[in-house]
Amino acid sequence: MRALKDTFQLMKDEGKHPEVKILPVEAGDAEAIAALAREIWLAHYTGIIGIEQIEYMLRQRYEPALIRAELQRDGLWWDKLLLGGEIVGFSSCFLTGKPGEMKLDKLYVRQDCQRRGYGGMLIGRAVVVARAQGCSRLVLAVNRNNRSAIAAYGKHGFRIRDTVVKDIGGGFVMDDYIMEKRLQG
């Protein structure tokens, strides 16, 4: 019943923005998602992690072939946010293997489309998916120096649960907060 309420709320939120749609990413979207990721990361992360790490991480996570492969995986969801038919945001989430837990792995909205509620709509979609999978927690990792994202996630009910420094190869590390949102039954 809660998942149905979540779906109605998501439809209501989309109704406030009739030009906005959230749909599953398709294999043919992989190049557009990769290009959008590059645009967003270069605009946002250059002062946080630097160009070299950005390029390294984009290759690890956003090559079109990798995106298409992820679309074939069970327990993993990619969504795109369309504004007037153009992809201006995307998210992905997956079951972590821990009982009751889903990870919001990616959530990005193009810089000129931020602060319009679109990120919240993508979080809402992840909540719907998580609840439909029987999850009671949605977790994410966010760079500890990404103050704007930390504040945005806090506004949507996420709380810092832990701090993690993870070696990702290439001489780079991710220095993140793990944030968690409890999902009401």
Side-chain angles (χ1 to χ4, degrees):
M1 185 59 146
R2 180 63 190 205
L4 189 57
K5 284 183 185 177
D6 291 337
T7 301
F8 286 133
Q9 181 61 46
L10 192 56
M11 289 169 58
K12 182 178 168 187
D13 290 345
E14 286 181 5
K16 292 177 189 172
H17 307 275
E19 71 284 2
V20 174
K21 293 190 181 335
I22 297 175
L23 299 170
V25 169
E26 299 172 353
D29 298 322
E31 283 78 10
I33 295 289
L36 182 57
R38 171 171 291 286
E39 175 186 340
I40 292 168
W41 278 54
L42 289 172
H44 185 77
Y45 287 111
T46 301
I48 297 174
I49 59 174
I51 295 289
E52 294 83 13
Q53 186 166 345
I54 290 170
E55 293 294 341
Y56 180 80
M57 293 180 74
L58 287 171
R59 283 191 306 275
Q60 277 190 328
R61 297 154 197 261
Y62 292 103
E63 289 294 328
L66 294 171
I67 294 169
R68 284 190 287 277
E70 283 194 0
L71 292 173
Q72 301 302 311
R73 282 184 37 199
D74 288 332
L76 187 143
W77 294 262
W78 275 83
D79 289 299
K80 59 188 173 188
L81 187 134
L82 300 169
L83 177 61
E86 180 185 4
I87 300 174
V88 299
F90 63 90
S91 63
S92 75
C93 55
F94 63 86
L95 296 170
T96 66
K98 295 179 184 174
E101 186 175 271
M102 178 168 281
K103 182 175 184 186
L104 179 57
D105 190 44
K106 298 169 180 68
L107 190 153
Y108 296 99
V109 176
R110 200 173 68 199
Q111 201 165 21
D112 65 326
C113 295
Q114 292 177 0
R115 293 178 185 28
R116 297 184 192 176
Y118 302 150
M121 291 170 69
L122 288 166
I123 290 170
R125 169 68 179 148
V127 167
V128 168
V129 172
R131 285 195 174 120
Q133 297 299 312
C135 295
S136 59
R137 296 179 315 283
L138 188 60
V139 300
L140 59 84
V142 59
N143 185 288
R144 289 181 12 180
N145 294 311
N146 192 347
R147 291 185 199 94
S148 61
I150 293 165
Y153 291 131
K155 178 179 143 185
H156 290 283
F158 286 87
R159 300 293 171 251
I160 295 171
R161 178 177 88 183
D162 202 358
T163 302
V164 174
V165 177
K166 179 181 176 187
D167 185 334
I168 59 170
F172 302 111
V173 298
M174 292 193 326
D175 185 7
D176 292 339
Y177 286 129
I178 304 301
M179 298 184 78
E180 176 179 276
K181 176 181 177 75
R182 294 278 177 175
L183 307 179
Q184 303 301 320

